[in-house]
Amino acid sequence: MGEYFDFIQQVKYEGADTKNPFAFRFYDADKEILGKPMKDHLRFAMAWWHSLGANGTDMFGVGTADKTWGAEAGTIAHAKAKVDAGFEFMKKLGIKFFCFHDVDLVPEAADINETNARLDEISDYILEKMNGTDIRCLWGTANMFSNPRYMNGAGSTNSVDVYCFAAAQIKKALDITVKLGGEDYVFWGGREGYETLLNTDLKFEQENIATLMRMARDYGRSIGLKGDFLIEPKPKEPMKHQYDFDAATAIGFLRQYGLDSDFRMNIEANHATLAGHTFEHELRVCAANGMFGSVDANQGDTLLGWDTDEFPFDVYTTTLAMYEVLKAGGFTHGGLNFDSKNRRPSNTREDMVYAFILGMDAFALGLTKAVKLIEDGRIDEFKAQKYASFNGELGQKIRDGKATLKELSDLACAMKAPQNPASGRQEYLEGVLNQVLFG
Ligand code: XLS
Ligand code: CA
Ligand code: CA
């Protein structure tokens, strides 16, 4: 069998000055940073759906990229060709993980038993390919949004039969994830939401989603899933209102239904901005709540109101994101999954390689700059000093929850009027960030 990416052997680190288009400028996989190699900080993953499946089809036109990999689309031979192409690609780029939906691996059949048989066959083939490599599954998931049966949702559906199919799909996706050594399992609530309250029982739907997640948790644990179940928040698209709007909403949901010790968050950059947040905000909310799990790495376009899933290149954002990741203690079993796709006119295999070089370099830069920002210390010092008035006896009493409203009111009345708090120094701190990035 010939190679799919025969124009490269191995993409290597050549340094910031290289003009070789097929080399990393910043991603130096084995370089030690804070006691571990870059590759272990970043844990890059390839998303099966975008890299091996998406051919540029959009609402206005057909695909521009050939993702048949030399086989007839929709056949098992095609599914195997995708595996071959994917492993060659990951090896050549030095990517150690992949993520998948069930239907990314094989085409869905009319009968679920046939689909499951195909999944057994392809997962055997993937296991064979994994053999002798250090490539592993980061997480798996079930696509419960494409098939028309899920038009009213999966966990939130109005049909008890469709609910059973959702359960069956999750069970099989969990089986395959565990079989491929994946530690985490993702729930992205694609159609778990609604368009109008006129036809929706919101409470009923949310309770059913929680029940489905509880059953998935119990089954996953029973077959040895060790890592996290992850919720991937997204505010809208395809639905107008999605129940997992953002990290804070999803965390509240998990706590309400007692799922918070098995679930954490998979934060996608583009979903954060669709929710009106920054990527780093979503990461900070997760860390503050002990819910930081994994990341879907991409970026949106601030001029567009939808999920463009672009390869990340904005180094301000990757720096501020990696700062949050480092502060959260780094990835344990999660990683940086490129849920990113080439732009429609970037339709060649070379473009796939350029896209990953761009994204991996952007996060490598983000990591090194985030470390510099932490080592520089001025941001952390400023923050410590900003809240220093709480370091005294009174502040401590408030922090310990031992003060009363009456007591504080008495103190305030005795003071008559407080001094204004010290400046927030935003422009100074933004200058520090620029100095660390470009100085
Ligand atoms: C879609 C989501 C999806 C999840 C996995 O917007 O990003 O691809 O990551 O189902
Ligand atoms: Ca995603
Ligand atoms: Ca997305």
Side-chain angles (χ1 to χ4, degrees):
M1 190 200 71
E3 295 193 331
Y4 293 101
F5 303 91
D6 55 2
F7 52 92
I8 41 161
Q9 281 317 304
Q10 187 72 44
V11 178
K12 293 192 185 122
Y13 170 71
E14 289 187 6
D17 294 329
T18 187
K19 295 274 167 29
N20 175 0
F22 295 119
F24 294 118
R25 293 113 204 185
F26 305 104
Y27 179 56
D28 187 0
D30 294 314
K31 186 176 173 190
E32 285 262 322
I33 292 192
L34 301 178
K36 62 181 184 187
M38 243 191 202
K39 61 180 181 216
D40 293 350
H41 279 285
L42 297 169
R43 291 167 61 90
F44 290 127
M46 178 196 74
W48 212 267
W49 53 103
H50 282 320
S51 293
L52 305 174
N55 64 4
T57 301
D58 69 12
M59 298 230 266
F60 300 93
V62 298
T64 54
D66 178 9
K67 295 279 175 86
T68 61
W69 309 106
E72 192 190 329
T75 59
I76 276 286
H78 179 216
K80 289 190 174 165
K82 282 164 79 175
V83 178
D84 296 339
F87 273 81
E88 184 191 331
F89 186 74
M90 287 187 278
K91 277 186 210 158
K92 288 184 169 175
L93 268 296
I95 297 166
K96 306 293 176 204
F97 298 95
F98 61 88
C99 301
F100 69 92
H101 300 85
D102 45 5
V103 303
D104 303 327
L105 301 183
V106 286
E108 202 178 351
D111 175 342
I112 191 174
N113 297 293
E114 169 59 18
T115 308
N116 287 349
R118 290 179 187 177
L119 283 167
D120 290 337
E121 184 180 347
I122 204 73
S123 50
D124 283 344
Y125 191 64
I126 296 175
L127 267 186
E128 250 174 61
K129 280 274 173 182
M130 286 168 71
N131 225 331
T133 74
D134 54 358
I135 295 174
R136 288 186 288 142
C137 171
L138 191 69
W139 52 255
T141 187
N143 175 327
M144 304 191 299
F145 43 89
S146 295
N147 192 297
R149 77 171 69 99
Y150 296 122
M151 69 181 192
N152 288 339
S156 58
T157 183
N158 54 320
S159 157
V160 72
D161 292 350
V162 170
Y163 195 87
C164 286
F165 269 78
Q169 243 186 287
I170 295 170
K171 177 185 175 294
K172 192 66 184 175
L174 277 164
D175 288 339
I176 302 295
T177 301
V178 169
K179 177 172 171 182
L180 298 177
E183 288 181 55
D184 293 349
Y185 183 85
V186 164
F187 282 91
W188 169 59
R191 294 196 191 270
E192 313 292 30
Y194 67 91
E195 301 294 323
T196 172
L197 284 175
L198 294 175
N199 65 11
T200 304
D201 186 338
L202 180 144
K203 188 165 185 283
F204 177 91
E205 293 194 358
Q206 293 199 341
E207 284 169 0
N208 281 359
I209 294 170
T211 301
L212 191 59
M213 287 181 173
R214 197 172 302 119
M215 291 189 283
R217 187 262 324 265
D218 293 346
Y219 181 74
R221 293 297 182 225
S222 80
I223 60 166
L225 189 98
K226 300 234 162 39
D228 294 317
F229 291 84
L230 299 169
I231 285 190
E232 182 181 323
K234 185 175 182 181
K236 56 185 170 193
E237 197 199 0
M239 307 307 279
K240 183 160 82 176
H241 300 273
Q242 290 196 177
Y243 293 133
D244 301 325
F245 187 92
D246 60 1
T249 311
I251 292 168
F253 171 89
L254 292 174
R255 289 190 177 146
Q256 182 181 353
Y257 292 105
L259 292 164
D260 48 314
S261 46
D262 293 279
F263 280 70
R264 293 199 284 177
M265 294 294 128
N266 181 41
I267 295 301
E268 178 176 316
N270 203 163
H271 297 181
T273 49
L274 284 176
H277 300 308
T278 60
F279 183 19
E280 57 272 20
H281 165 89
E282 287 293 83
L283 294 170
R284 180 77 62 94
V285 168
C286 292
N289 288 281
M291 284 283 171
F292 169 67
S294 198
V295 165
D296 268 11
N298 59 19
Q299 72 179 51
D301 186 318
T302 47
L303 301 182
L304 301 176
W306 64 92
D307 195 15
T308 56
D309 284 350
E310 294 170 38
F311 274 87
F313 76 95
D314 174 356
V315 177
Y316 279 103
T317 302
T318 58
T319 300
L320 294 173
M322 286 313 296
Y323 176 87
E324 298 302 326
V325 170
L326 289 170
K327 290 279 182 183
F331 293 111
T332 45
H333 21 85
L336 286 167
N337 167 44
F338 285 107
D339 192 354
S340 314
K341 60 182 180 218
N342 281 101
R343 298 305 84 198
R344 190 165 180 267
S346 302
N347 59 345
T348 69
R349 289 185 188 160
E350 285 81 358
D351 288 309
M352 279 181 67
V353 177
Y354 293 145
F356 272 80
I357 291 176
L358 173 70
M360 291 163 82
D361 271 342
F363 268 94
L365 262 173
L367 170 66
T368 27
K369 298 298 180 184
V371 170
K372 268 182 97 178
L373 205 56
I374 292 169
E375 283 171 350
D376 175 89
R378 279 176 287 173
I379 302 260
D380 287 339
E381 269 163 36
F382 178 80
K383 259 188 268 174
Q385 174 224 311
K386 181 178 170 195
Y387 300 97
S389 77
F390 275 81
N391 293 345
E393 208 180 307
L394 174 61
Q396 208 46 60
K397 199 170 177 190
I398 295 171
R399 300 282 294 149
D400 293 343
K402 292 191 177 131
T404 67
L405 205 63
K406 161 98 179 45
E407 179 188 1
L408 299 190
S409 167
D410 290 347
L411 282 169
C413 293
M415 275 188 272
K416 295 192 176 105
Q419 299 223 317
N420 283 339
S423 162
R425 298 259 186 270
Q426 180 168 334
E427 296 77 5
Y428 160 71
L429 295 166
E430 287 167 347
V432 168
L433 175 61
N434 269 352
Q435 190 186 10
V436 167
L437 280 173
F438 305 108

